Amino acid sequence: MAQDLKRLKRIGWGVRSVFALGIAASLAGNVLHASDNVISQAISAWSPVALLLAVELISRIPARRGALSAVRLGATAVIAGIAAWVSYWHMVGVATRYGEADSSAYLLPFSVDGLIVVASISLVEIGGRIRTLTETATEATPVSESAPALANLVESKPVYTNEDIWGPEPPAVEPAPAPAVKKTPAKRVTPRPVSAEKVAKAAAKMPDAPVSQIAAKAGVSVSTARRHLAALRVTDASPSAPLPAETPALIAA
């Protein structure tokens, strides 16, 4: 059906072109036979233009009632008769002016008017068939029922939650706070002075030397050497390790 509709539309455009060609020939004959002024040419050209508009209207606009359709067809026939009568004598005059014989000049207008009549009837017929096929295709198309709204589908089915399926969730148990760890302050380590390092090195090189020699070797005073040696004895040496021997003069002092 769709293919027939497309084919009829293509044929309709072809018939419309033939009809326009016949109207153009009639229009040219009327204008050439009229006087050489715009008003006379416009008056002579009106009847073919009126016939063109009437045929286009009845071919494109359907009439549902029989009486109105008959009136419309009758008015179109009257317009076509007037256009044929006027264009016939105009074309006879033009053909005679341009050298056609008497018989040819009187027969030539019939070919133009006959082409217009055939094309107009064919155009009206094709328009009616196109409308019939269009209405048939519209009636044959099934009207699909409107789908139910999504909201109705959702409301018609129960909605289950996790609580309905697995039961109520147990109360959340807060974790016990971790015991506080008491931080012990780090012991502050006092670095050894440079003189202590010197005394320690000198004492290591001369373990049996008296304090005065160790102090001279380290470049410090005897009291400083004695203090550092005492500290070395407490931290590094064993409890039984004796202090370096001192001279009797220093002991007496």
Side-chain angles (χ1 to χ4, degrees), residues 128-171:
R129 293 188 62 184
I130 290 175
R131 286 193 297 272
T132 303
L133 287 177
T134 304
E135 292 175 357
T136 304
T138 304
E139 293 175 358
T141 303
V143 179
S144 60
E145 297 181 358
S146 59
L150 182 60
N152 297 335
L153 292 178
V154 174
E155 292 177 359
S156 62
K157 294 182 179 180
V159 179
Y160 297 99
T161 61
N162 292 335
E163 185 175 352
D164 298 332
I165 299 173
W166 303 104
E169 296 182 358

Side-chain angles (χ1 to χ4, degrees), residues 42-102:
I43 292 173
S44 61
W46 169 246
S47 55
V49 173
L51 178 61
L52 173 65
L53 297 176
V55 173
E56 281 293 322
L57 289 175
I58 64 173
S59 64
R60 291 181 180 272
I61 302 175
R64 296 297 181 183
R65 299 179 182 178
L68 294 179
S69 179
V71 171
R72 187 174 64 169
L73 291 176
T76 304
V78 171
I79 294 173
I82 294 173
W85 177 263
V86 172
S87 63
Y88 177 82
W89 293 110
H90 283 312
M91 293 188 71
V92 167
V94 172
T96 303
R97 183 191 304 173
Y98 287 96
E100 289 292 333
D102 293 339

Side-chain angles (χ1 to χ4, degrees), residues 22 54 61 74 104 117 140 153 156 178 208 232 240:
I61 302 175
S104 299
V117 171
L153 292 178
S156 62
D208 297 331
L232 288 173
S240 61

Side-chain angles (χ1 to χ4, degrees), residues 221-246:
S221 63
V222 176
S223 59
T224 303
R226 188 182 293 110
R227 185 176 68 254
H228 291 319
L229 288 174
L232 288 173
R233 179 192 173 195
V234 174
T235 56
D236 298 335
S238 61
S240 61
L243 286 173
E246 296 182 359

